[in-house]
Amino acid sequence: MKPIITASACLSESAGPRPPVFLDVRWQLGGPNGRPDYEAGHLPGAVFVDLDTELAGPPGSRGRHPLPDPEAFGAAMRRAGVRADRPVVVYDGGQGWAAARAWWLLRWAGHEDVRVLDGGLPAWTGELSKEIPAPQEGDFRPRPGALPVVDADGAAALARTGLLLDARAAERYRGDVEPIDRVGGHIPGAVSAPTGENVGADGRYLPAERLAERFGALGARDGGEVGVYCGSGVSGAHQVLALEIAGLRGVLYPGSWSEWSADEHRPVATGPDPQ
């Protein structure tokens, strides 16, 4: 199953016998909560999910957006009406990061039918609703581990023996700027692969063949291990999704740079080169 779905396919499935559960995950890094935007207009029937409180655990030593407690995550998804036997479509305001985070978490937790609305809300061609739905309680129970993860040590090992992609902007990778974390730079051996290069000007993912060429040029090979990290495990999920479109398997480091850089004993590389 493809991890993305077009707006036209969403409209068609919404009118079909097995409509998907829609989750609105609008979020901005360091920006205001997305709930007011959701209330101003959303896909009919969509339920708002807050990334900071429902798709992540409390910030701390494991990073700014550590994996949520599975029981708490499952409860949030059931409140949103998520069922194990019903497809789920997630969308955000168009950047794709938050939607990819929701997609990745649900897949990691064992849901087998989750897709991201390609291009997010700007791609939607149907009507919007201001009605706040009261969905029937879902039955989804997380089974963590359906998608692989690595910790800090595993990420460091991948940078040496496989391929570790840094999904942040190139200037943060180089250490030119660091607006959020303790120190700028990257994990030694990691390769710069900004998430923004996964999509076109319209915010939609590039075709599979172009993504395969992009990741191949960065060193990804069929059967090879590819790890991904970002600032706090959000845009990294976008990279994992792009890798899946390209036919490759990406392993997420959820703690990412926010965890790595908080530990003064971890090495930091700067400049444009991996080392």
Side-chain angles (χ1 to χ4, degrees):
M1 178 178 294
K2 290 184 178 180
I4 55 176
I5 184 171
T6 64
S8 59
C10 273
L11 280 167
S12 177
E13 290 190 16
S14 296
R18 193 166 169 258
V21 173
F22 287 106
L23 302 181
D24 185 309
V25 200
R26 274 178 272 185
W27 172 86
Q28 297 179 53
L29 178 63
N33 186 276
R35 178 86 193 193
D37 289 337
Y38 163 80
E39 293 177 350
H42 51 265
L43 269 62
V47 177
F48 180 74
V49 175
D50 183 66
L51 186 147
D52 289 321
T53 61
E54 296 179 302
L55 301 183
S61 61
R62 295 185 299 135
R64 281 193 309 280
H65 294 105
L67 295 182
D69 172 77
E71 287 301 318
F73 174 63
M77 293 299 97
R78 291 191 294 275
R79 286 194 301 271
V82 174
R83 301 185 59 84
D85 62 351
R86 189 173 169 189
V88 178
V89 171
V90 294
Y91 71 91
D92 57 25
Q95 187 177 40
W97 294 4
R101 170 74 175 207
W103 166 84
W104 185 90
L105 269 176
L106 280 163
R107 289 281 308 277
W108 166 79
H111 202 294
E112 296 179 352
D113 193 347
V114 189
R115 289 163 294 172
V116 168
L117 173 58
D118 196 16
L121 189 65
W124 180 251
T125 55
E127 295 182 356
L128 296 178
S129 172
K130 293 184 179 181
E131 180 180 352
I132 307 302
Q136 181 179 356
E137 182 86 0
D139 66 359
F140 177 66
R141 301 281 175 180
R143 302 185 307 278
L147 291 184
V149 298
V150 292
D151 59 10
D153 290 339
L158 267 176
R160 296 191 302 268
T161 64
L163 176 64
L164 181 65
L165 300 178
D166 185 317
R168 298 172 301 157
E171 59 268 23
R172 290 186 69 191
Y173 170 88
R174 294 191 301 266
D176 297 346
V177 298
E178 182 44 64
I180 304 171
D181 294 311
R182 183 184 68 85
V183 64
H186 58 269
I187 296 175
V191 174
S192 180
T195 300
E197 296 178 17
N198 294 330
V199 299
D202 58 1
R204 301 182 190 188
Y205 283 92
L206 298 175
E209 59 272 15
R210 288 185 59 187
L211 287 171
E213 290 174 2
R214 162 172 158 73
F215 292 122
L218 293 169
R221 299 289 182 270
D222 287 342
E225 289 188 294
V226 181
V228 178
Y229 76 96
C230 56
S232 63
V234 176
S235 65
H238 189 284
Q239 196 93 287
V240 173
L241 193 155
L243 283 160
E244 183 160 320
I245 294 172
L248 300 164
R249 188 74 178 270
V251 180
L252 184 66
Y253 169 26
S256 287
W257 188 247
S258 61
E259 178 186 47
W260 181 280
S261 63
D263 185 344
E264 297 181 1
H265 300 290
R266 295 277 178 194
V268 171
T270 57
D273 298 323
Q275 301 301 333

